[in-house]
Amino acid sequence: MQSLKTIAFFLLIAAATTSSQNTNTKCPFQFLYHFGDGISDIGNSVRVEPFGPLLPPTRDPYGVTFPGHPTGRWSDGRVDVDYVAEDVGLPNIIQYLSMNMSKSYDGIIFSVARSTALNTSFFDSRGIHIPPYDIPLATQLSWFRTYLQSNCTTQTECAKRQPSNSVVLFEFSELNDLGYALLQGKSIQEVTTYVPLLVDAQVNAAREVIKLGATRVVYTTAAPLGCYPYILTALSTNDTSAYDGLGCLKAVNNLALNFNENLLKAFLALQAEFPNLTIIGADYYLTVTAQITLKTVLGFGRENPALRSCCGIGGRYNYDDRRLCGSPDATVCPNPNDYIYWDGLHFTQQVYRAVIGIQVVPALLLLKCRLI
Ligand SMILES: *[C@@H]1O[C@H](CO)[C@@H](O)[C@H](O)[C@H]1NC(C)=O
Ligand SMILES: *[C@@H]1O[C@H](CO)[C@@H](O)[C@H](O)[C@H]1NC(C)=O
Ligand SMILES: *[C@@H]1O[C@H](CO)[C@@H](O)[C@H](O)[C@H]1NC(C)=O
Ligand SMILES: *[C@@H]1O[C@H](CO)[C@@H](O)[C@H](O)[C@H]1NC(C)=O
């Protein structure tokens, strides 16, 4: 209920305010720090040795919409954080794993695609295999601490990157932790017990960056996990009552809703703990669901075409985990803007633009940014 109220509030303000696009934004902070997964990875996963350089987003057709070649983003173009950075007037962001190649920038992205909020040891002890390029939140945080201790070149640079002068974002909206477990046969019942641990991991991470000086924290809720082509393919069932009106798996979406409710409660408690903190939630669940609804043609029967990947091969959802987008026999749709899902595991850039477009304006107001 609380989360619905927050979202309604966001939608209302967004509708009443003009978009910040194409105007200059002046905000009372100068730097972005970003933790998360593939919705905000601008090129870390492909730089995690030794397997990163072999990952799909190093190949065509990743980046086909923008800038026309692969950039390391798991998207046809931009990802979530590109739009956030642009909208707060701090467009020059870099990925942590190549920060030594840049001298001056507006933010560091620690997010790594396909990563988990929980440590690898958690999954090891339950017999769940996690890919070797997973960089769990705890490791992303240790990168952050290393970064804060590294030398800055000029006094201006040093002042700019202070946590007190930044916005820190936490976006584990893909729920990869739960996705890996479900794909490897763990029951909904078992996976539900991971939810409070995922929430704790994020809130504890936020507490740590606050203790290091951060005063502005933004977090995003989980996307509807039960609508992803990779989940629909793996957990496909002939039981039609398992699907909702959009063709998504109800039980899996309920996991995401359960997570969102707990995450919101935990961040409200954090706000009570640190009254001076500006803490903002942005919704992925409702905004993505709205995007899917817009692209859904009524009477689609068993499978909703709006849930097919743009890039991929085979199956009901144009997704095959042995022949991912970027492999020789995978094909790409003519217009990614018509699709919700890019490669079965991630959204197209038009979804990121739509979600951020709705969420960012109220966030800018709450962050005391001025449109100039
Ligand atoms: C940046 O360079 C320093 C000094 O050579 C090195 O210790 C550090 O690991 C590098 N950082 C990254 C993220 O590559
Ligand atoms: C994850 O591992 C780090 C050390 O790498 C540890 O400090 C942290 O407490 C662990 N987190 C959880 C949630 O187990
Ligand atoms: C669904 O039904 C078809 C035809 O009866 C059968 O071949 C298929 O294996 C079933 N699929 C699942 C996931 O049970
Ligand atoms: C909160 O902000 C006020 C006014 O800026 C300041 O006086 C107070 O010490 C701050 N409290 C904490 C807990 O940081």
Side-chain angles (χ1 to χ4, degrees), residues 188-356:
I188 296 278
Q189 205 177 9
E190 165 160 0
V191 171
T192 305
T193 66
Y194 306 170
V195 166
L197 306 175
L198 287 180
V199 170
D200 283 351
Q202 287 199 53
V203 174
N204 292 339
R207 193 178 282 113
E208 185 164 342
V209 302
I210 292 161
K211 288 189 171 151
L212 289 167
T215 60
R216 302 171 194 87
V217 171
V218 175
Y219 68 93
T220 53
T221 66
L225 183 63
C227 304
Y228 279 87
Y230 87 94
I231 291 281
L232 290 165
T233 302
L235 304 185
S236 167
T237 167
N238 283 338
D239 172 10
T240 52
S241 71
Y243 297 89
D244 67 13
L246 290 175
C248 305
L249 284 164
K250 286 192 250 181
V252 182
N253 275 353
N254 284 339
L255 272 176
L257 288 169
N258 177 346
F259 170 83
N260 288 347
E261 202 175 297
N262 282 287
L263 188 71
L264 179 74
K265 273 193 207 137
F267 273 104
L268 288 174
L270 194 70
Q271 176 77 79
E273 193 181 335
F274 300 98
N276 284 5
L277 191 67
T278 301
I279 182 159
I280 300 173
D283 174 72
Y284 253 79
Y285 194 97
L286 264 191
T287 38
V288 168
T289 303
Q291 288 295 304
I292 296 172
T293 308
L294 283 175
K295 296 219 184 298
T296 296
V297 179
L298 285 178
F300 55 79
R302 177 92 199 289
E303 314 94 36
N304 185 351
L307 303 178
R308 288 171 63 82
S309 324
C310 164
C311 178
I313 186 164
R316 286 201 177 116
Y317 304 99
N318 199 33
Y319 176 81
D320 179 342
D321 62 4
R322 289 154 306 178
R323 292 180 295 171
L324 295 174
C325 176
S327 68
D329 38 6
T331 58
V332 62
C333 66
N335 188 0
N337 284 335
D338 292 340
Y339 282 73
I340 301 294
Y341 294 99
W342 164 243
D343 58 5
L345 299 156
H346 302 94
F347 299 116
T348 54
Q349 82 158 17
Q350 70 89 15
V351 171
Y352 294 124
R353 176 68 273 177
V355 171
I356 296 308

Side-chain angles (χ1 to χ4, degrees), residues 69-270:
H69 56 82
T71 63
R73 288 167 177 79
W74 293 68
S75 165
D76 61 310
R78 301 166 181 88
V79 290
D80 166 300
V81 61
D82 293 309
Y83 293 114
V84 173
E86 210 173 276
D87 287 347
V88 298
L90 299 171
N92 188 15
I93 49 175
I94 57 162
Q95 62 273 13
Y96 174 72
L97 289 182
S98 55
M99 70 169 208
N100 283 342
M101 292 164 69
S102 306
K103 278 224 154 60
S104 175
Y105 40 82
D106 303 330
I108 293 225
I109 309 304
F110 300 105
S111 308
V112 182
R114 311 292 297 122
S115 284
T116 53
L118 298 178
N119 287 345
T120 314
S121 57
F122 173 87
F123 299 99
D124 287 346
S125 68
R126 283 160 184 80
I128 301 167
H129 173 74
I130 299 295
Y133 52 91
D134 175 41
I135 301 289
L137 178 52
T139 310
Q140 294 182 19
L141 270 177
S142 73
W143 286 357
F144 175 66
R145 287 188 297 264
T146 305
Y147 175 70
L148 289 183
Q149 283 156 16
S150 68
N151 294 329
C152 31
T153 43
T154 65
Q155 239 173 15
T156 321
E157 274 313 306
C158 300
K160 190 173 167 182
R161 72 182 199 182
Q162 288 305 310
S164 58
N165 194 24
S166 74
V167 174
V168 183
L169 296 99
F170 292 91
E171 293 194 272
F172 284 84
S173 297
E174 292 178 347
L175 294 179
N176 289 324
D177 303 68
L178 306 185
Y180 289 125
L182 290 171
L183 250 57
Q184 292 172 52
K186 299 294 179 195
S187 67
I188 296 278
Q189 205 177 9
E190 165 160 0
V191 171
T192 305
T193 66
Y194 306 170
V195 166
L197 306 175
L198 287 180
V199 170
D200 283 351
Q202 287 199 53
V203 174
N204 292 339
R207 193 178 282 113
E208 185 164 342
V209 302
I210 292 161
K211 288 189 171 151
L212 289 167
T215 60
R216 302 171 194 87
V217 171
V218 175
Y219 68 93
T220 53
T221 66
L225 183 63
C227 304
Y228 279 87
Y230 87 94
I231 291 281
L232 290 165
T233 302
L235 304 185
S236 167
T237 167
N238 283 338
D239 172 10
T240 52
S241 71
Y243 297 89
D244 67 13
L246 290 175
C248 305
L249 284 164
K250 286 192 250 181
V252 182
N253 275 353
N254 284 339
L255 272 176
L257 288 169
N258 177 346
F259 170 83
N260 288 347
E261 202 175 297
N262 282 287
L263 188 71
L264 179 74
K265 273 193 207 137
F267 273 104
L268 288 174
L270 194 70

